[in-house]
């Protein structure tokens, strides 16, 4: 096996293949270092979130309502699986399963929160609950809270510790990781590098936001940037005011996504969208640094908790967005793939690794029958339409939040932009 990409997808796939058949010869090729991409830079939500709804999953060709619900259950199991493997393999990644609280802080957000709970009751095992303001305060104390949704199916982790620990584990299992080895093209039985060809019975593409750099895949996913900031370690007095004792991850129901967690060393790590998409899906280190967005995140966090901490870190990176927002995994003529997680990849990659294992080893299992398996998203529009559309969508979400603060009603802008944004 040759696996292209030493992030979560590639490393989980290598892990489960090596455990299933220690005789396999498995090589992982990585353009930078293991965990260089989104796997080492994300917000640390190991959640049961999938980037599209169960309703949309049920509408995929060949899918059913029951299959969509099974995928939801498989995502819940993946949250636990990451914790179990981390403990069994000695990966100290600060795993703590405290759930997720998503706050409603305007009337429009409150309406969306109640609608999400109702939809979850219709399309799943009823794991999403509505919390009143007093119930919210028992988990987190934020400003302007009208209510919240809560699910227990999320763990906070340190993403860098998880990916580097997983890389060390797969090497102990006999997998070879070649860092600083970029792949330019993937075809059946071959991965093309500047140093020569790597031949194998199966090639696994695990490149997520960096996929457009491969020959023939420039429009497969759009690399959209997400940025983060982190505070200094906060005092006990500040934590007494904020709460988050059980380390639930947190967000609110605004349109432009934000996400945060209380880290194991007592910081607030907080991120969100808002950085621009770059023409022709370009990725450069300089794109990680967007001072306007960093300042906006700092302001949002201060306002959310009414605190004034010092910020010591800021970083960012690209994630992979398919045209229909639907992640997928599959195997076709010796080439396997998984990706398009739209930022929900920490646990989805684990599900992908187990699914690709079963597909490659020709096992007919419940995992290989899930509705995301074999799904093919249509390609993104050519430039400049792609650049115009994605950046218009990002701008629209910002305007939609502003519209709701002013009108105190659900945003018309958001409803009009939903088809473009995968809604």
């Amino acid at each position: 096996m040759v696996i292209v990409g030493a992030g979560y997808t590639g490393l989980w796939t290598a892990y489960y293949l090596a455990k299933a058949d220690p005789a396999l010869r498995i090589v992982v090729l990585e353009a930078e270092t293991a965990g260089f991409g989104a796997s080492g830079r994300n917000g640390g939500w190991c959640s049961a979130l999938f980037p599209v709804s169960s309703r949309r999953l049920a509408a995929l060709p060949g899918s059913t309502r029951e299959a969509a619900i099974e995928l939801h259950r498989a995502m819940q199991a993946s949250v636990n699986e990451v914790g179990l493997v981390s403990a069994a393999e000695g990966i100290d990644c600060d795993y703590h399963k405290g759930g997720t609280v998503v706050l409603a802080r305007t009337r429009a957000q409150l309406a969306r929160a109640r609608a999400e709970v109702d939809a979850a009751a219709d399309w799943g095992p009823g794991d999403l609950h509505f919390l009143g303001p007093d119930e919210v305060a028992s988990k987190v104390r934020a400003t302007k809270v009208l209510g919240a949704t809560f699910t227990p199916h999320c763990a906070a982790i340190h993403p860098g510790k998880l990916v580097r620990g997983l890389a060390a584990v797969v090497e102990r299992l006999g997998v070879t990781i070649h860092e600083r080895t970029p792949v330019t093209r993937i075809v059946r039985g071959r991965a093309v590098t500047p140093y020569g060809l790597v031949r194998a019975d199966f090639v696994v593409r695990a490149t997520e936001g960096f996929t457009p750099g491969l020959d023939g895949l420039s429009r497969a996913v759009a690399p959209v940037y997400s940025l983060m900031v982190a505070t200094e370690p906060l005092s006990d007095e500040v934590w007494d005011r904020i709460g988050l004792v059980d380390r639930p991850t947190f967000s609110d129901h605004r349109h432009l996504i934000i996400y945060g967690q209380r880290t194991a060393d007592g910081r607030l790590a907080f991120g969100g969208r808002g950085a621009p998409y770059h023409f022709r899906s370009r990725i450069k280190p300089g794109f990680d640094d967007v001072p306007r967005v960093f300042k906006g995140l700092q302001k949002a966090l201060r306002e959310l908790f009414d605190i004034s901490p010092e910020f010591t870190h800021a970083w960012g990176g690209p994630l992979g967005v398919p045209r229909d927002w639907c992640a997928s995994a599959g195997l076709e003529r010796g080439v396997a793939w998984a990706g398009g997680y739209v930022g929900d990849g920490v646990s989805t990659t684990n599900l992908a690794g187990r699914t690709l294992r079963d597909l490659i080893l020709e096992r007919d299992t419940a995992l290989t029958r899930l509705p995301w398996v074999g799904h093919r998203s249509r390609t993104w529009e050519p430039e400049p339409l792609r650049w115009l559309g994605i950046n218009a969508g990002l701008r629209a979400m910002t305007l939609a939040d502003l519209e709701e603060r002013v009108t105190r009603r659900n945003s018309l802008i958001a409803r009009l932009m939903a088809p473009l944004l995968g809604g």
Side-chain angles (χ1 to χ4, degrees):
M1 313 287 171
V2 58
I3 297 171
V4 181
Y8 291 146
T9 300
L11 294 174
W12 280 124
T13 303
Y15 174 80
Y16 287 109
L17 282 169
K19 295 288 280 188
D21 186 352
L24 290 174
R25 295 177 58 199
I26 304 170
V27 165
V28 180
L29 307 179
E30 167 56 46
E32 299 290 343
T33 58
F36 174 83
S39 298
R41 312 185 204 182
N42 62 80
W45 284 37
C46 182
S47 77
L49 292 172
F50 195 79
V52 297
S53 67
S54 295
R55 186 182 300 276
R56 287 189 58 205
L57 283 168
L60 294 177
S63 185
T64 63
R65 176 188 178 89
E66 290 72 24
I69 293 172
E70 283 305 310
L71 179 54
H72 185 67
R73 290 197 176 100
M75 288 298 303
Q76 293 178 352
S78 296
V79 175
N80 295 331
E81 176 73 2
V82 171
L84 291 170
V85 173
S86 297
E89 299 291 356
I91 301 173
D92 181 11
C93 62
D94 301 338
Y95 181 100
H96 182 80
K97 190 178 178 184
T100 296
V101 180
V102 183
L103 304 169
R105 303 173 64 241
T106 67
R107 292 180 182 177
Q109 290 184 16
L110 185 64
R112 281 199 295 280
R114 292 187 182 279
E116 285 189 13
V117 171
D118 290 343
D122 289 340
W123 283 90
D127 61 321
L128 189 67
H129 310 286
F130 181 81
L131 305 180
D134 291 342
E135 294 172 297
V136 177
S138 69
K139 297 182 180 298
V140 56
R141 288 179 286 281
T143 61
K144 302 178 182 178
V145 172
L146 302 177
T149 57
F150 175 75
T151 173
H153 299 290
C154 185
I157 63 154
H158 186 304
K161 290 182 178 181
L162 175 59
V163 72
R164 297 300 296 181
L166 188 56
V169 169
V170 300
E171 287 185 315
R172 290 201 301 268
L173 293 174
V175 174
T176 301
I177 301 175
H178 291 290
E179 298 181 322
R180 309 293 182 188
T181 308
V183 172
T184 58
R185 188 181 180 205
I186 293 173
V187 293
R188 184 176 183 179
R190 292 182 296 169
V192 182
T193 82
Y195 315 113
L197 300 178
V198 181
R199 302 180 186 274
D201 296 318
F202 293 91
V203 182
V204 178
R205 172 169 58 82
T207 46
E208 192 54 357
F210 295 87
T211 301
L214 295 168
D215 287 352
L217 294 172
S218 63
R219 292 163 55 191
V221 298
V224 174
Y225 276 73
S226 198
L227 305 185
M228 293 197 68
V229 296
T231 69
E232 63 185 342
L234 303 180
S235 67
D236 290 342
E237 178 184 358
V238 173
W239 282 121
D240 287 342
R241 289 168 51 197
I242 295 174
L244 296 173
V245 174
D246 199 33
R247 290 184 62 203
T249 57
F250 63 88
S251 180
D252 70 15
H253 282 275
R254 71 184 70 189
H255 295 287
L256 193 66
I257 294 172
I258 60 168
Y259 49 90
Q261 68 152 294
R262 176 179 179 168
T263 67
D265 64 346
R267 304 171 189 266
L268 281 169
F270 188 69
R273 308 288 195 266
Y277 162 81
H278 297 278
F279 195 72
R280 291 183 178 174
S281 297
R282 288 180 300 156
I283 296 173
K284 296 197 317 185
F287 297 160
D288 300 348
D289 185 7
V290 188
R292 168 184 60 83
V293 177
F294 290 142
K295 289 179 181 178
L297 291 170
Q298 293 172 2
K299 179 181 178 182
L301 189 59
R302 291 188 183 107
E303 191 274 333
L304 186 63
F305 293 119
D306 192 22
I307 57 175
S308 299
E310 291 295 323
F311 289 88
T312 57
H313 296 76
W315 69 97
L319 52 91
V321 181
R323 183 59 184 85
D324 62 358
W325 252 242
C326 187
S328 63
L331 172 64
E332 189 173 293
R333 292 186 294 180
V335 177
W337 80 90
Y341 307 117
V342 199
D344 292 328
V346 176
S347 54
T348 316
T349 52
N350 177 274
L351 178 61
R354 288 178 286 129
T355 301
L356 293 183
R357 171 202 62 195
D358 290 351
L359 289 172
I360 289 169
L361 298 181
E362 298 183 340
R363 297 175 175 178
D364 181 13
T365 67
L367 296 182
T368 62
R369 294 190 293 272
L370 292 173
W372 74 316
V373 176
H375 173 68
R376 292 281 192 176
S377 303
R378 66 185 177 92
T379 58
W380 280 95
E381 290 79 1
E383 298 290 17
L385 296 177
R386 184 161 76 250
W387 181 86
L388 290 168
I390 294 173
N391 284 319
L394 291 170
R395 181 60 177 164
M397 293 301 96
T398 301
L399 293 174
D401 289 324
L402 176 60
E403 178 191 359
E404 290 186 349
R405 287 196 296 272
V406 172
T407 67
R408 299 186 180 184
R409 295 193 300 268
N410 286 325
S411 169
L412 175 61
I413 295 173
R415 293 198 296 273
L416 293 175
M417 294 298 294
L420 174 66
L421 301 173

